[in-house]
Amino acid sequence: MDHLVLVVVSGIASGAVYGLMGLGLVIIYRATDVVNFALASMATLAVYVALMVVEQGWGVVAGIAAAVLVAVVLGLIVREAVIRPLGAGQLFAALVMTMGVSLIMEAVVSDFWGTQPRAFPPLVAGDMAIGSSVVANQDLVMIAVAGAAMLAIGWLFTRTTLGSAMRAVAESAATAEIIGISAQRVARIAWALGLGLAALAAVLYAPKSGLSPIVLAAPLFRAFAGIFLGGLNSMHGAVIGGLVIGVLENLAASYVSANFRDTFVFALTVLILLVRPQGIFGTRSFERV
Amino acid sequence: MVRRHLRLLVPLLTVTALAVSACGGSAGSGGSGDGGGSIKIGAWIPLSGPQAASGVPQAAGANAYFARLNENGGINGRQVEWIVKDNAYDPQQTVQAARRLIGQDQVVAIVNANGVAPSEAAFPFVLEQSKVPVVNHYGGIEPWYEPARPLLFGTQTLYEDQAAAMAAWAVESGARRLLVVHDDPKAFADVAAQIEPAAERADPSTTVTALPVKLGTTDYAPVVSSVRAAAPDAVMLIVPAPEAAAYLKEAKLQGVAAPAYGYAPTASSTTVTLAGDAAEGFRAVSLTKVPSDPSPEMQQFRDAMAKYAPDQPADFSTLLGYANAAVFAEIAKTINGPITAESLVAAYENAGKVSTGVAPDMTFSATQHLGTDDVQRTVVQGGEWVAEGDFVSAPERVRS
């Protein structure tokens, strides 16, 4: 029983990271129709900056703040310099652009900080006993911080004027412009929010995995699985999808087979998408001809 | 600084580079000539992509060795020009790199290349068509050396022998119930499979169980929970260094007391950096002496790194590249006359014992193309790798 609890708690902690990244992806996608493959590498660069801040003796919290700030600024620069000039409706061009940005970010990180993995300090030290098992406090903090960030985003989108504007743009940018909402401004905010969430996910994940230029490649893959499972246009779907992937992969590794951990998780995802192509919480979109 | 900026352009220039390199060298076009100037040798190494973490320090270590060698007169008065191409650990790019090295750069040998699978892709062109030797490859597999393959020479104890050496060490230390935590791909599973026969040979009462893990796992909580339930005497880790660190951290958290042993990829500064104090007491077999070894040769290594590659640490990763370069130089020095592909092969086959002082002594002959099966037992103490005794030979094992 203790083993099961440990597996689930640990899976939720990993899933919280996938959920945060997925949420960032969905916010950007809904506001700008861009699937941002550069999200992980941009967040990674931000964590390297955070590590520099920590090494200066300013503490982990200051490092996290720096990571979020750098990611937000980076997101705005990429959005304005690379994505915006493409114009609306350039889905595939934007996709390729973000892939290119991702490669460039990786090269920059490798060049400036090297390729050797580095340790990133946890937000909190210590551990907590659950029966005969022990959970690192950092895992619990990961769950708490990610949960708080997700709730804040939920509140922003459902309880504020800005959130209403963002939802309006997500539904129809043209209609939103008619009623006076600047789609460009909303797009900038979406990129900033998305990258901020990704940076938060990255600084929570790095103490567990170590920091390297491609540290977020695997979590990004799982975040995508989570958002397709939950629904590409659903924010709570992205979060729940990420959590489901995190817990399922741990359960599969522990009780099915480590060899088939990913196979099991993604086979389930494929099955769900066969039954419900828009994902569990996604909505079908129809385009009039 | 210029090189730094050039590297930033790599992703943007990839397509162009591929197109240009496709026009490179033809089969049998070079590599065996000796113009009497510098000795041109080459290598393909992953300097970008996920494997750059091993490739960049390896290249830095070898560069430091050759820089020091050249400053001290080179090989028999001739400078060594070691030309490195980035293969990004990709077979296609490796073949293109091989074509350029042999066709355009006219290298006499491939020295210190990196990437077992990518190199396999280049071997038909390099070894069979161009007849250019590949020596001192970083890593390698049993079929490369048993039986000896023409033009192919190695300096690193095979992973399978490392696993056998780990098993013998654990049994020698009193462990009788071993649990092997290994990544699931065949390359890891085959290595892990060598632990059971080696342990049983050391003591027939030894039992070995395997616990496969998905490659790339960062969350080791479920794995360690299973390890704790199994309560082994020792845990054998056949996983990359970052995963070994993840295991060690979680094992410390869960209070797993069984000592952990790793193979050479885990004898790395990465393991200590990432695991922190959880790495204390971790044992691993190494292919070289420990970086802090006080011998004059190792001091030379540290000095060379400080002088010629100050941005890279003097650690196991750089030492591997340095050691491979040193073995090449020691053998090439024995050549009287032109250094060609043919004379290099002859020199390797007649080398007998080769000592560098940083790696185990190597022995090559016409039938023995892999120079050693020795490892150095090392333990993490006080945040540093410490040697336990001298190099030891891996035990005889069941050959695949």
Side-chain angles (χ1 to χ4, degrees), chain A residues 2-3 6-7 10-11 14 18 100 103-104 106-108 110-112 115-120 126-128 132-136 139 205-211 214 218 222 250 253-254 258-263, chain B residues 3-5 7-8 10-12 47 49-54 56-57 182 184 212-226 228 242 246 249-250 253-255 268-270 273-274 312-313 315 317:
Chain A
D2 289 345
H3 178 71
L6 183 67
V7 165
S10 185
S14 300
Y18 310 152
L103 286 173
I104 292 167
E106 274 177 33
V108 169
S110 301
D111 205 59
F112 282 95
T115 52
Q116 290 297 309
R118 295 177 180 210
F120 190 86
D127 50 59
M128 198 178 90
S132 61
S133 295
V134 181
V135 177
D139 278 359
Y205 184 71
K208 202 164 189 169
S209 62
L211 185 56
I214 53 160
R222 286 170 174 76
N250 265 14
S254 295
N259 297 11
F260 295 103
R261 184 189 70 179
D262 289 345
T263 313
Chain B
R3 188 174 157 269
R4 176 171 278 193
H5 287 302
R7 279 189 56 194
L8 292 179
V10 166
L12 301 173
L47 301 176
Q51 298 298 326
S54 71
V56 170
H182 67 86
D184 58 343
V213 179
K214 192 77 186 166
L215 177 63
T217 295
T218 51
D219 183 0
Y220 262 81
V223 176
V224 171
S225 184
S226 300
R228 201 177 55 165
K249 280 196 290 186
E250 193 65 38
L253 184 69
Q254 299 294 332
S268 151
S269 55
T270 297
T273 302
L274 295 185
Q312 289 284 333
D315 63 5
S317 304

Side-chain angles (χ1 to χ4, degrees), chain A residues 185-209:
Chain A
R185 181 169 161 265
V186 167
R188 283 194 290 274
I189 293 170
W191 271 74
L193 267 179
L195 264 300
L197 289 171
L200 190 58
V203 288
L204 293 174
Y205 184 71
K208 202 164 189 169
S209 62

Side-chain angles (χ1 to χ4, degrees), chain A residues 201-277:
Chain A
V203 288
L204 293 174
Y205 184 71
K208 202 164 189 169
S209 62
L211 185 56
S212 69
I214 53 160
V215 65
L216 291 181
L220 181 70
F221 179 58
R222 286 170 174 76
F224 270 117
I227 61 177
F228 284 116
L229 184 68
L232 185 56
N233 53 11
S234 165
M235 287 194 288
H236 60 279
V239 173
I240 293 170
L243 290 171
V244 168
I245 294 285
V247 173
L248 266 185
E249 69 177 4
N250 265 14
L251 288 174
S254 295
Y255 296 105
V256 183
S257 159
N259 297 11
F260 295 103
R261 184 189 70 179
D262 289 345
T263 313
F264 178 81
V265 171
F266 288 99
L268 190 76
T269 307
V270 168
L271 273 178
I272 289 172
L273 291 179
L274 279 174
V275 178
R276 203 174 154 76

